[in-house]
Amino acid sequence: MNADLTTSTTTARYAGKHIVITGGSSGLGLAAAQLLTDEGARVLITGRNQAALDAARERLGGSTLAIPSDVASVPGIEALADRVKAELSTVDALFANAGVNGFASFEETGEELFDQLLAVNAKGPYFTVQKLAPLMTGGSGVVLTTSVANVLGLPMLSAYAASKAAVRSMTRSLARELLPRKIRVNAVSPGPIDSGILEKSMPREAAEQAKAQMASDNPMLRIGTPAEVAKAMVFLAFDATYTTGAELAVDGGGSQI
């Protein structure tokens, strides 16, 4: 009897909470959506790939909403905000997580790649927060997804790192600007995580070699899982009630040791 009551309380921890996760159809966003739906939240996820969204919604089940949306488009973000208002009315936590990667040397980085990385990774979260903040409740939390690449100076990632450094900076600025609305803004900064993003940008064999190299270079001698990052994201959104403008590294010590 007590065990049943304990399970019920645990799985209902976020019952009644409304969550929006951009880039929620795979990787870190999907892991966060799974954690929250398992504990009773109503979650709206976005993505650009309809098939991935459909698969994510089937996996998450329940009352999950899966909405196609392109964070590189401000009109698209405005349309998303209208849909969120219609479906959820208010938002208790916003995870501005959608992002893309891009590997190229400094000499080979072209304007198209640079513009894509900055549009999705920097413009996207900025305007996502701007358009959805009016729907957020007092005491709610915004969590931005940046990367340890924003401070490490890694080769082949100069434009990507610049886009993530922009997110690191806006975390501090938006935290200050949204204080009057009692909205906290923090960032999670993943290191090497087996999120599937490498497989999307290079052949599978090359991705496996890259992951093996990252694991050997990491102080913990492994790469992390999306579920480990999701726990940090949810902590910042709900439990870090006296924290704003912070960046939490989830990187196995790689950027700190």
Side-chain angles (χ1 to χ4, degrees):
M1 182 68 169
N2 289 339
D4 291 341
L5 288 173
T6 299
T7 300
S8 176
T9 300
T10 300
T11 56
R13 182 179 183 190
Y14 300 113
K17 299 296 186 182
H18 296 163
I19 318 297
V20 175
I21 304 176
T22 64
S25 61
S26 63
L28 309 183
L30 179 58
Q34 187 73 70
L35 190 160
L36 288 159
T37 55
D38 286 349
E39 297 192 11
R42 189 171 189 213
V43 179
L44 184 153
I45 62 172
T46 77
R48 292 185 295 177
N49 184 295
Q50 187 64 58
L53 279 171
D54 292 342
R57 188 184 186 285
E58 182 176 354
R59 170 177 166 178
L60 296 169
S63 59
T64 303
L65 296 163
I67 309 298
S69 182
D70 181 2
V71 298
S73 163
V74 174
I77 297 170
E78 291 172 338
L80 172 64
D82 290 340
R83 184 70 181 273
V84 170
K85 184 176 182 179
E87 298 283 358
L88 302 179
S89 182
T90 59
V91 176
D92 298 293
L94 168 61
F95 297 85
N97 167 76
V100 293
N101 207 334
F103 294 90
S105 68
F106 172 63
E107 292 81 6
E108 295 175 338
T109 297
E111 183 179 13
E112 182 178 358
L113 175 60
F114 186 92
D115 286 348
Q116 179 193 29
L117 290 169
L118 270 292
V120 174
N121 294 350
K123 185 176 80 171
Y126 186 92
F127 285 102
T128 295
V129 177
Q130 184 191 78
K131 303 306 178 184
L132 292 179
L135 303 178
M136 300 191 70
T137 58
S140 59
V142 173
V143 180
L144 305 174
T145 300
T146 179
S147 166
V148 295
N150 66 27
V151 295
L152 291 182
L154 300 171
M156 305 294 289
L157 289 171
S158 58
Y160 172 79
S163 70
K164 291 300 187 177
V167 176
R168 181 172 185 258
S169 178
M170 74 176 68
T171 299
R172 292 162 170 75
S173 301
L174 299 184
R176 192 59 182 262
E177 294 226 31
L178 292 176
L179 272 177
R181 303 190 201 182
K182 298 182 180 179
I183 299 172
R184 294 172 297 102
V185 182
N186 294 291
V188 66
S189 185
I193 306 295
D194 192 8
S195 65
I197 196 169
L198 289 177
E199 286 82 355
K200 294 179 181 179
S201 57
M202 62 178 65
R204 186 170 189 84
E205 183 177 345
E208 291 300 323
Q209 291 175 351
K211 288 190 288 186
Q213 183 63 53
M214 288 188 290
S216 67
D217 291 341
N218 190 276
M220 287 191 177
L221 298 178
R222 69 176 180 90
I223 59 178
T225 67
E228 289 175 307
V229 182
K231 291 176 183 178
M233 295 165 76
V234 173
F235 165 76
L236 290 173
F238 289 103
D239 295 331
T241 54
Y242 195 52
T243 301
T244 194
E247 178 186 12
L248 176 58
V250 187
D251 66 346
S255 65
Q256 302 170 67
I257 296 176

